[in-house]
Structure formats: structure tokens, C-alpha cells
Amino acid sequence: MSVANHHLTSSTPLSSSSSSFFSHSKLISSRAQIVAVKVKNGGVCKCVATSPAEQIAHTTKVSRNPNMGKLQAGYLFPEVARRRAAHLAKYPDAKVISLGIGDTTEPIPEIISSAMAKRAHGLSTLEGYSGYGAEQGLGIEDGDIFVSDGAKCDIARLQMLFGSDVTMAVQDPSYPAYVDSSVIMGQTGLYEKDSEKFGKIEYMKCMPENGFFPDLSAVGKTDIIFFCSPNNPTGASATREQLTKLVQFAKDNGSIIIYDSAYAMYISDDSPRSIYEIPGAKEVAIETASFSKYAGFTGVRLGWTVVPKELLYSDGFPVAKDFNRIVSTCFNGASNISQAGGLACLSPEGLEAMKQVIGFYKENTNIIVETFKSLGFKVYGGSNAPYVWVHFPGRSSWDVFSEILEKTHVVTTPGSGFGPGGEGFVRVSAFGHRENVLEACRRFKELYK
Amino acid sequence: MSVANHHLTSSTPLSSSSSSFFSHSKLISSRAQIVAVKVKNGGVCKCVATSPAEQIAHTTKVSRNPNMGKLQAGYLFPEVARRRAAHLAKYPDAKVISLGIGDTTEPIPEIISSAMAKRAHGLSTLEGYSGYGAEQGLGIEDGDIFVSDGAKCDIARLQMLFGSDVTMAVQDPSYPAYVDSSVIMGQTGLYEKDSEKFGKIEYMKCMPENGFFPDLSAVGKTDIIFFCSPNNPTGASATREQLTKLVQFAKDNGSIIIYDSAYAMYISDDSPRSIYEIPGAKEVAIETASFSKYAGFTGVRLGWTVVPKELLYSDGFPVAKDFNRIVSTCFNGASNISQAGGLACLSPEGLEAMKQVIGFYKENTNIIVETFKSLGFKVYGGSNAPYVWVHFPGRSSWDVFSEILEKTHVVTTPGSGFGPGGEGFVRVSAFGHRENVLEACRRFKELYK
């Protein structure tokens, strides 16, 4: 088949609009044409048949990056999506509700979307048009802030920044992108089946017993410490006292904290919203954050990372200088339309609108928390984060995930997908339309009454 | 100072909207407040003064990624921007024209910007809202195409995919992101001052003498071959015959070609628009491309990369499978608003509108080509690309760049910034408003008459 395709393609005059993308669609239709030809004309069919020599696929001599082979199963959320799809195949009429992936569901406030639409329209005018922006974006002069297309993307760029030779620590459980990007960069050693851990990663256990803050006296010294607060998946936020300890720990060890504050605006009590509220943090911490969960920008893509100029490598070289080089070389800035939305988010009306969106999801969270509490479960998180961390002691997370999906058609996320410390828990996300959250809770009550 | 800031911050009640971004602005205004306090009240000034212990900056114990230290000077375009800024400081009243960085200047066709504005507005409605999209984007089913936020970003992700242990070849001269991202990943060895090359990179010389296509018999075998056609910076496009040779070369060596076709729609003759027009290319080539130079999307950010499922590592594992894992872990898809623009680009009206934009820049290119030809220069590129490659035999590119900037206030790009093979050339970009291009050409004629 492939030979026939190529012949057809190269003998077909290509319009001047064709590039790989366009000619690729062409290839797809060519394929369809050939199939049609086959049906109509056996001779052509024979003519395009694959010769024996062609059946032996060419393999390049490039070795697969061994780090890619170390990754465990699929990335958690695609894996959840696959299981959801399998469930739908089994129950095609089921009204599946997704409280799994932390994906926002509520419309973007008008004040913000209008700003983006206006910017998009403006791009068709001479005055409103702009091309490449500064990689740092948003026109903010302060050299510490790098505007990006989201925290996940910046985490990958931070991994490129630090390279393969650093050691790292993560909360256990934690957002999988920290560990997986470390694996990809070759920082981690091999996966050890028994412990369900990578050899060279320091796992900082965050459990109900320690108030979801690690016992730092038991944590080995590493170059990098990933820390997320309010935490995904546990929903726990670290107190000022705890973060002060963390900063001191990093200072004593000479470590760099990568602090993920993507859920900071969900904090209701006096927990710090930023690591930089802790004295001395600028000398030891990078902070990454995002508009995704505040303004519903999961699809719009806008975030930022703060790399203070006070943060220095062991030789005194500023980390921000190298990060600037990374974003100049490996990135071209966030979309200017998304940035217009970001600026609208920061206006007084935008801030108010974001607070309302967050308030809505926080009400969802309360509904979920109360439901599981009323059923006698131990429930964590929820008060400072849009995630509810439900304990099913002694049970396998994936088993509970499957049970809930099978019996209620509700997608959650199995805690063990976030690391071995998540075993026995399930994460229920509060991102959903109200009626879906209420319906899911009705079904939970039916199942666990 | 920093202690005072922190005290002020932690004692200031933070609104629930604060996260690092917001509290950072707060910090900035806090600083201003303190300065004010200093003026008004010497006592407070003393109180917040930096103690001797605070003056010794903390350095972490994290070693700087040694690969970052290997990068040469700044990334080319920031360096050009710095020199432009210095020129403006020297001649504040100069009417500087930029034909340097390849940045689009003409408004985005209405049909495309309207689609984006409509999508942005739609995000404020329940029906129109969407969150995370598939990382592959655009709703295209075909697993070979990965939609991205641009070719430069995908090049970095491809580097993460292949890791540190691969060897690579580049055209010399070439777009600097290939070499620089390889350096960052640790593929290159050290920079050798004498040759102006990195030890482990294979430089494929592309000169007028070889029609800007390398003598492949002189090129060493590498894992990866970066190849850009139509080429940035030389403007040369490879013929079908040449690309057939390249594909055969890759097949013989077991190499993978990363084919950059970002300028494919500028081709006027019958040069292939895509490497996949060459039989067998799917088994040896990845292709990356972008809407930037077709629809003026340099700031909107949208591109795509094709990784055919026929492309296999030496052990038979499909490259596309690992790349899918990379984009799932290190990326979250292109902005949904930008993707709406991309879909509009692919409509019949969108294709027509893009052709007109491209036609405009091609007219600019002709004006520049004719100008330099009339002045007796040897001029290359231009007919299939928006770049004109002007030869200044025996002269240093940076000297010519400085001469042109100093005497005409026109910013170009020095050829040697694209590799040692670019020495003696200057790249003149055709991305500019018509009156600026005409004015720049008038000044060139004045200077070189």
C-alpha cells in the first residue's frame, strides 16, 4: 500500500498550498481512492499490492531513548481516559460523569473572553497586529516572571534547564508530570517494582498521619524539591509554619524548590498563597502557576513561572539567566490572544469574575465532601483546593476506581496513579457542572449507603 | 531590604486572589512603599536596613547544568535585538527598519481572526466552552499529526524525545534552534573556537558552490539529520532529486531526518512542499511546520509535527508512540483559540487568504533581490522563500551587519550567526510593510551605489 500511496502522491500535481499538513490530508484521501480502485478494478489492486521486500519494515539505526522505556504505563490521565472509553464501549447508553481529570467545565467570564476576542479581531488591523512577543510575555518588565503556556509546559522546560545530573524529591502522592518529566530527562534510575518507586527519586510521604506534610528529618538531600500546595491530588495546603520549615530545609541542603501554586486562589484560610510569602524563599525557590483553574484556561493555555534573580547555582550563576536562555531557545511565548485574556484576568473586574468561578467550584467541593462524610468515609482536602481525597483503607485504588466506574458510571482518579503514597485513596475532582456533581453524589450515596 | 519586604508581606493580609503573580506585584509596590517610608522616617529606614549576614547572598548547592555553559553568546536573535537597542540609544531619532528577525508584519486575514474571536466568545457559553483538548489537537484523528504551539517548541520536544545520546547533523548555515537545543540536551560536546563548531555535530556545508545542497558523500553518519527546506537562512529549496538523495542517505545510514518545512508555501517552482512527497520518506523522516509565516501566526502560536507510524527505532518501536508520551507529559496542546484560527486557515477561503499574505511577502522579496542585484551583489534565495541571502565575499558578517545598521539604520541578520558556513553573508528578511521595504532598499542603494 505504501508504495502505491507514494507513487500517487508524487505523480499528483500538488497545489501551491500544499505542505506536509495539506499533502497529508491528500494522502488520506489518496488511500481512500486506492481502496475504491481496488473494489472497482482487480488489476489495479494487484498492481498496488505490497511486494515481499516491502513487507519488511525499515527500522532506523537510532536507539530508542532508554529513559522513555522507564516510564510506567501510560501517563495517568490518558490511562484513565482509556478506561473511560472502554467503559463507554461496554455501556454505550450510560450517562458517564467525569470527576476524574482536573479539567474545568464552567464558561470563561465574559470580561475575559471579550478581551481575547477583541485581541483576535485586532490582529486583522495594522495597528493591532503583532508578531513574535518577548518570550517572557505580557509586557511585564520585571525579569523574574516568565509568562508561559501553562505550568505543565514550564515544568518540562525547568527539567531541560536542570538537565540529567540533578537529583529530585517529590511529595508522595504528587502530580505525575514531576516524576515523569524527571524520568524522561534521565534523572531517576530504574523503576523498582517492589517499592513502586524510581531508585533515585526521594519520595516525601504525605499522609493523614503527618498532616500531608513530610517529615523532613527523614528526607534525603536532593538538588530539586518539587512541592505543590494546595496539593494535587490530596487537596492539602501547607501552613506558613510548614513552608517556613521547607524553605529552611532547602536552604540547609542547598536545594532548589519548584513550588507549584496552580491552586493558590482556592485557599480560604491563611495558608500562604505563594512560597515568596516565606522570608528567604527567593534564594531557594522557583514558583510556577497558571490561569487554568482560576479562569477556565485549561484549553486557552496561559501560566507563569517566577525565577527570582536571587536564586543562584553553587557557582553563583543566576538560575534566571539560564532559564531565559531555555525559553528563548525552546519556546516562543504564549499566544498573544491568551495573554490578552490574562491581562483581563488581572483587571479588578477580571479578578472578581475569577473569584466567582472559584467560588462555584468550591461549592461543588463542599457537596462532594459532605456526601462522602455522610457515608462515613474519611475525607481530606477540599477546603483549600478543588480536589477531595477519599480514603478507602486497605483497598486498591484502581479497584475502587473500577468499582465506582462500573456501578455509578462516574470517572474518578485512582490515588495510586499519583505515587505509591496514594494507594488506598481516590481523588474526586470538583470540576463539573452542578447538576453532574449532584447526580454523581446521588449515585455515590446509592453505592455506599 | 528583602527581610523588610518579607515581613511586610507576611504581616499584610493577603486577599484571596493572591498567588505568586499577584503577590509579586504586591511585593513591587511594597518596595515602593518602603522607599517612601525611608524618606519620611529614618527610624524605620534603620529598622529595615540589611544586616551584614543578609549581604552574603545564599548560593544553592545545585550545580549549573554544564550544557548551558556551552551555549555560544546569546541566542542569535536576542543578540541582534540587543545591538538594535544599542543603536537606538546612540541614534534616538533614527527611523530604524527591521529586516532582521523573520517576524511577520501584515495583519491576519479577517476570515481567520474572526474565527478566533468567535471561538473566544464561545468560551463564555456553556455550549462553546471546552477545557483541556487532546495534546494532538485540532480534532484530527490521524495519529501521525501532532498539533503544537509552533515548530520551535516541537523541535525542543523532539530533542527531549531523542535524549542526550544521539548524534546529529545540521545544514551549515542553519536556524540556530537546532544546534542550541542539541547543546542544551548534551548531544554536542564542547564548542571549538578555531572551527566555530561543536565537536560532535556534523556540519553539512550548504554554499553557492554546491547549490546549497550538501555533498552527502562527505557527511558522516549521524542518528538525527536536521534539514530545512526552503531553507532559513539561505532561502534555498531542495529539489525532488536532492530530497530523494537525502532520503536514501538517511535510509542507508539508519538516520532520522527532522524536516522543517515552515516555509513550504513560499515555493513557486516544483520543489517538493513536503518530505513525504519522496517515496520511502515516512520510514525515515519527521516533518515539522507552522502557520506562523503563512497566516501571520508568529504571535498566535500554532504549528504541527508529523511523526509517521512507519518510523521505527532500531528495536522496531514506533517513534510516534514515544512522541505521544512526550507531548502528553510535557505539553498540554495548543491554545483552543489558536486552533480555531488554524481550522479557518484550512478552509478554502483561509487558504486563499494565506496565499495572498504569502504573495505580498514574495513581492517584497523580489524588491530586495532586484535591489541587491542592481548593486552588483551575488544574491541567493528569495524565489522560494521570504529570505534573501546576500554575499559579501571576504567580509565578516557581523561587520557588514554593523555597517548596514550604522549607515542605513536597517537591521539585518549576520550570516555567521547561523553557523560558520554563513560567514560572508547577510540575511535580509522580506517580512516588512511595503513602504519600509522600499525605504530600506533606497538606503541600501545609497550605501552601496
Side-chain angles (χ1 to χ4, degrees), chain A residues 107-128:
Chain A
I108 293 178
E110 186 72 35
I111 177 106
I112 298 161
S113 64
S114 294
M116 295 194 284
K118 198 177 159 200
R119 183 79 182 93
H121 273 307
L123 289 171
S124 280
T125 65
L126 261 182
E127 312 72 46

PDB file of all heavy atoms in Angstrom, chain A residues 107-128:
ATOM      1  N   PRO A 107     -18.016  28.071  31.837  1.00  0.00           N
ATOM      2  CA  PRO A 107     -17.615  29.060  30.822  1.00  0.00           C
ATOM      3  C   PRO A 107     -16.652  30.110  31.373  1.00  0.00           C
ATOM      4  O   PRO A 107     -16.649  30.409  32.565  1.00  0.00           O
ATOM      5  CB  PRO A 107     -18.947  29.697  30.420  1.00  0.00           C
ATOM      6  CG  PRO A 107     -19.975  28.651  30.709  1.00  0.00           C
ATOM      7  CD  PRO A 107     -19.468  27.916  31.915  1.00  0.00           C
ATOM      8  N   ILE A 108     -15.842  30.648  30.495  1.00  0.00           N
ATOM      9  CA  ILE A 108     -14.911  31.713  30.857  1.00  0.00           C
ATOM     10  C   ILE A 108     -15.703  33.008  31.035  1.00  0.00           C
ATOM     11  O   ILE A 108     -16.550  33.331  30.198  1.00  0.00           O
ATOM     12  CB  ILE A 108     -13.832  31.864  29.763  1.00  0.00           C
ATOM     13  CG1 ILE A 108     -12.957  30.613  29.745  1.00  0.00           C
ATOM     14  CG2 ILE A 108     -12.997  33.118  29.969  1.00  0.00           C
ATOM     15  CD1 ILE A 108     -11.876  30.613  28.690  1.00  0.00           C
ATOM     16  N   PRO A 109     -15.465  33.753  32.122  1.00  0.00           N
ATOM     17  CA  PRO A 109     -16.201  35.013  32.311  1.00  0.00           C
ATOM     18  C   PRO A 109     -16.096  35.914  31.078  1.00  0.00           C
ATOM     19  O   PRO A 109     -15.021  36.046  30.476  1.00  0.00           O
ATOM     20  CB  PRO A 109     -15.506  35.636  33.525  1.00  0.00           C
ATOM     21  CG  PRO A 109     -14.973  34.467  34.293  1.00  0.00           C
ATOM     22  CD  PRO A 109     -14.578  33.460  33.251  1.00  0.00           C
ATOM     23  N   GLU A 110     -17.206  36.505  30.744  1.00  0.00           N
ATOM     24  CA  GLU A 110     -17.365  37.366  29.566  1.00  0.00           C
ATOM     25  C   GLU A 110     -16.266  38.431  29.464  1.00  0.00           C
ATOM     26  O   GLU A 110     -15.716  38.678  28.379  1.00  0.00           O
ATOM     27  CB  GLU A 110     -18.742  38.053  29.670  1.00  0.00           C
ATOM     28  CG  GLU A 110     -19.167  38.872  28.472  1.00  0.00           C
ATOM     29  CD  GLU A 110     -19.531  38.025  27.269  1.00  0.00           C
ATOM     30  OE1 GLU A 110     -20.092  36.922  27.461  1.00  0.00           O
ATOM     31  OE2 GLU A 110     -19.228  38.453  26.139  1.00  0.00           O
ATOM     32  N   ILE A 111     -15.956  39.058  30.589  1.00  0.00           N
ATOM     33  CA  ILE A 111     -14.966  40.144  30.583  1.00  0.00           C
ATOM     34  C   ILE A 111     -13.617  39.643  30.045  1.00  0.00           C
ATOM     35  O   ILE A 111     -12.880  40.373  29.392  1.00  0.00           O
ATOM     36  CB  ILE A 111     -14.807  40.725  32.008  1.00  0.00           C
ATOM     37  CG1 ILE A 111     -13.729  41.813  32.077  1.00  0.00           C
ATOM     38  CG2 ILE A 111     -14.439  39.670  33.032  1.00  0.00           C
ATOM     39  CD1 ILE A 111     -14.296  43.169  32.198  1.00  0.00           C
ATOM     40  N   ILE A 112     -13.339  38.365  30.281  1.00  0.00           N
ATOM     41  CA  ILE A 112     -12.050  37.797  29.875  1.00  0.00           C
ATOM     42  C   ILE A 112     -12.107  37.322  28.421  1.00  0.00           C
ATOM     43  O   ILE A 112     -11.208  37.617  27.626  1.00  0.00           O
ATOM     44  CB  ILE A 112     -11.650  36.652  30.826  1.00  0.00           C
ATOM     45  CG1 ILE A 112     -11.492  37.199  32.252  1.00  0.00           C
ATOM     46  CG2 ILE A 112     -10.381  35.965  30.370  1.00  0.00           C
ATOM     47  CD1 ILE A 112     -11.543  36.146  33.350  1.00  0.00           C
ATOM     48  N   SER A 113     -13.189  36.614  28.066  1.00  0.00           N
ATOM     49  CA  SER A 113     -13.281  36.119  26.686  1.00  0.00           C
ATOM     50  C   SER A 113     -13.416  37.280  25.707  1.00  0.00           C
ATOM     51  O   SER A 113     -12.894  37.230  24.593  1.00  0.00           O
ATOM     52  CB  SER A 113     -14.447  35.140  26.536  1.00  0.00           C
ATOM     53  OG  SER A 113     -15.665  35.789  26.759  1.00  0.00           O
ATOM     54  N   SER A 114     -14.116  38.342  26.132  1.00  0.00           N
ATOM     55  CA  SER A 114     -14.244  39.521  25.261  1.00  0.00           C
ATOM     56  C   SER A 114     -12.887  40.129  24.959  1.00  0.00           C
ATOM     57  O   SER A 114     -12.631  40.568  23.833  1.00  0.00           O
ATOM     58  CB  SER A 114     -15.101  40.599  25.928  1.00  0.00           C
ATOM     59  OG  SER A 114     -16.406  40.148  26.072  1.00  0.00           O
ATOM     60  N   ALA A 115     -12.050  40.184  25.972  1.00  0.00           N
ATOM     61  CA  ALA A 115     -10.714  40.753  25.762  1.00  0.00           C
ATOM     62  C   ALA A 115      -9.943  39.923  24.743  1.00  0.00           C
ATOM     63  O   ALA A 115      -9.216  40.466  23.903  1.00  0.00           O
ATOM     64  CB  ALA A 115      -9.960  40.812  27.091  1.00  0.00           C
ATOM     65  N   MET A 116     -10.142  38.614  24.797  1.00  0.00           N
ATOM     66  CA  MET A 116      -9.431  37.750  23.837  1.00  0.00           C
ATOM     67  C   MET A 116     -10.007  37.920  22.438  1.00  0.00           C
ATOM     68  O   MET A 116      -9.266  37.979  21.449  1.00  0.00           O
ATOM     69  CB  MET A 116      -9.484  36.300  24.292  1.00  0.00           C
ATOM     70  CG  MET A 116      -8.720  36.083  25.600  1.00  0.00           C
ATOM     71  SD  MET A 116      -8.406  34.338  25.981  1.00  0.00           S
ATOM     72  CE  MET A 116     -10.020  33.831  26.546  1.00  0.00           C
ATOM     73  N   ALA A 117     -11.337  37.991  22.359  1.00  0.00           N
ATOM     74  CA  ALA A 117     -11.977  38.183  21.048  1.00  0.00           C
ATOM     75  C   ALA A 117     -11.535  39.510  20.438  1.00  0.00           C
ATOM     76  O   ALA A 117     -11.245  39.601  19.238  1.00  0.00           O
ATOM     77  CB  ALA A 117     -13.489  38.138  21.198  1.00  0.00           C
ATOM     78  N   LYS A 118     -11.460  40.536  21.274  1.00  0.00           N
ATOM     79  CA  LYS A 118     -11.042  41.855  20.806  1.00  0.00           C
ATOM     80  C   LYS A 118      -9.607  41.798  20.277  1.00  0.00           C
ATOM     81  O   LYS A 118      -9.282  42.365  19.234  1.00  0.00           O
ATOM     82  CB  LYS A 118     -11.151  42.849  21.973  1.00  0.00           C
ATOM     83  CG  LYS A 118     -11.178  44.300  21.551  1.00  0.00           C
ATOM     84  CD  LYS A 118     -11.356  45.228  22.741  1.00  0.00           C
ATOM     85  CE  LYS A 118     -10.874  46.615  22.352  1.00  0.00           C
ATOM     86  NZ  LYS A 118     -10.568  47.444  23.526  1.00  0.00           N
ATOM     87  N   ARG A 119      -8.774  41.096  21.022  1.00  0.00           N
ATOM     88  CA  ARG A 119      -7.373  40.966  20.602  1.00  0.00           C
ATOM     89  C   ARG A 119      -7.293  40.210  19.271  1.00  0.00           C
ATOM     90  O   ARG A 119      -6.526  40.578  18.379  1.00  0.00           O
ATOM     91  CB  ARG A 119      -6.588  40.211  21.674  1.00  0.00           C
ATOM     92  CG  ARG A 119      -5.099  40.077  21.399  1.00  0.00           C
ATOM     93  CD  ARG A 119      -4.358  41.354  21.741  1.00  0.00           C
ATOM     94  NE  ARG A 119      -2.939  41.266  21.435  1.00  0.00           N
ATOM     95  CZ  ARG A 119      -2.397  41.663  20.282  1.00  0.00           C
ATOM     96  NH1 ARG A 119      -3.150  42.193  19.338  1.00  0.00           N
ATOM     97  NH2 ARG A 119      -1.104  41.564  20.074  1.00  0.00           N
ATOM     98  N   ALA A 120      -8.112  39.149  19.147  1.00  0.00           N
ATOM     99  CA  ALA A 120      -8.112  38.366  17.904  1.00  0.00           C
ATOM    100  C   ALA A 120      -8.535  39.257  16.741  1.00  0.00           C
ATOM    101  O   ALA A 120      -7.871  39.299  15.700  1.00  0.00           O
ATOM    102  CB  ALA A 120      -9.034  37.159  18.038  1.00  0.00           C
ATOM    103  N   HIS A 121      -9.631  40.009  16.923  1.00  0.00           N
ATOM    104  CA  HIS A 121     -10.082  40.931  15.873  1.00  0.00           C
ATOM    105  C   HIS A 121      -8.981  41.942  15.547  1.00  0.00           C
ATOM    106  O   HIS A 121      -8.721  42.238  14.385  1.00  0.00           O
ATOM    107  CB  HIS A 121     -11.347  41.676  16.318  1.00  0.00           C
ATOM    108  CG  HIS A 121     -12.610  40.922  16.019  1.00  0.00           C
ATOM    109  ND1 HIS A 121     -12.910  40.437  14.768  1.00  0.00           N
ATOM    110  CD2 HIS A 121     -13.654  40.564  16.816  1.00  0.00           C
ATOM    111  CE1 HIS A 121     -14.070  39.806  14.794  1.00  0.00           C
ATOM    112  NE2 HIS A 121     -14.542  39.862  16.031  1.00  0.00           N
ATOM    113  N   GLY A 122      -8.360  42.452  16.579  1.00  0.00           N
ATOM    114  CA  GLY A 122      -7.310  43.455  16.391  1.00  0.00           C
ATOM    115  C   GLY A 122      -6.165  42.951  15.533  1.00  0.00           C
ATOM    116  O   GLY A 122      -5.510  43.735  14.840  1.00  0.00           O
ATOM    117  N   LEU A 123      -5.934  41.663  15.560  1.00  0.00           N
ATOM    118  CA  LEU A 123      -4.829  41.094  14.784  1.00  0.00           C
ATOM    119  C   LEU A 123      -5.044  41.244  13.277  1.00  0.00           C
ATOM    120  O   LEU A 123      -4.125  41.071  12.492  1.00  0.00           O
ATOM    121  CB  LEU A 123      -4.629  39.611  15.142  1.00  0.00           C
ATOM    122  CG  LEU A 123      -4.046  39.343  16.537  1.00  0.00           C
ATOM    123  CD1 LEU A 123      -4.101  37.861  16.876  1.00  0.00           C
ATOM    124  CD2 LEU A 123      -2.596  39.844  16.633  1.00  0.00           C
ATOM    125  N   SER A 124      -6.280  41.572  12.883  1.00  0.00           N
ATOM    126  CA  SER A 124      -6.556  41.831  11.461  1.00  0.00           C
ATOM    127  C   SER A 124      -6.382  43.294  11.086  1.00  0.00           C
ATOM    128  O   SER A 124      -6.706  43.676   9.975  1.00  0.00           O
ATOM    129  CB  SER A 124      -7.977  41.387  11.109  1.00  0.00           C
ATOM    130  OG  SER A 124      -8.011  39.984  10.906  1.00  0.00           O
ATOM    131  N   THR A 125      -5.929  44.101  12.030  1.00  0.00           N
ATOM    132  CA  THR A 125      -5.703  45.521  11.719  1.00  0.00           C
ATOM    133  C   THR A 125      -4.211  45.828  11.794  1.00  0.00           C
ATOM    134  O   THR A 125      -3.466  45.151  12.503  1.00  0.00           O
ATOM    135  CB  THR A 125      -6.430  46.433  12.728  1.00  0.00           C
ATOM    136  OG1 THR A 125      -5.832  46.241  14.027  1.00  0.00           O
ATOM    137  CG2 THR A 125      -7.907  46.093  12.814  1.00  0.00           C
ATOM    138  N   LEU A 126      -3.813  46.850  11.058  1.00  0.00           N
ATOM    139  CA  LEU A 126      -2.404  47.230  11.051  1.00  0.00           C
ATOM    140  C   LEU A 126      -1.937  47.632  12.440  1.00  0.00           C
ATOM    141  O   LEU A 126      -0.845  47.282  12.873  1.00  0.00           O
ATOM    142  CB  LEU A 126      -2.189  48.407  10.089  1.00  0.00           C
ATOM    143  CG  LEU A 126      -1.667  48.062   8.696  1.00  0.00           C
ATOM    144  CD1 LEU A 126      -1.473  49.327   7.885  1.00  0.00           C
ATOM    145  CD2 LEU A 126      -0.339  47.288   8.789  1.00  0.00           C
ATOM    146  N   GLU A 127      -2.796  48.357  13.165  1.00  0.00           N
ATOM    147  CA  GLU A 127      -2.411  48.870  14.481  1.00  0.00           C
ATOM    148  C   GLU A 127      -2.405  47.746  15.519  1.00  0.00           C
ATOM    149  O   GLU A 127      -1.613  47.747  16.458  1.00  0.00           O
ATOM    150  CB  GLU A 127      -3.364  49.958  14.971  1.00  0.00           C
ATOM    151  CG  GLU A 127      -3.681  51.054  13.956  1.00  0.00           C
ATOM    152  CD  GLU A 127      -4.588  50.561  12.820  1.00  0.00           C
ATOM    153  OE1 GLU A 127      -5.592  49.885  13.127  1.00  0.00           O
ATOM    154  OE2 GLU A 127      -4.284  50.831  11.638  1.00  0.00           O
ATOM    155  N   GLY A 128      -3.331  46.824  15.348  1.00  0.00           N
ATOM    156  CA  GLY A 128      -3.495  45.786  16.364  1.00  0.00           C
ATOM    157  C   GLY A 128      -2.628  44.566  16.144  1.00  0.00           C
ATOM    158  O   GLY A 128      -2.539  43.701  17.014  1.00  0.00           O
TER     159      GLY A 128
END
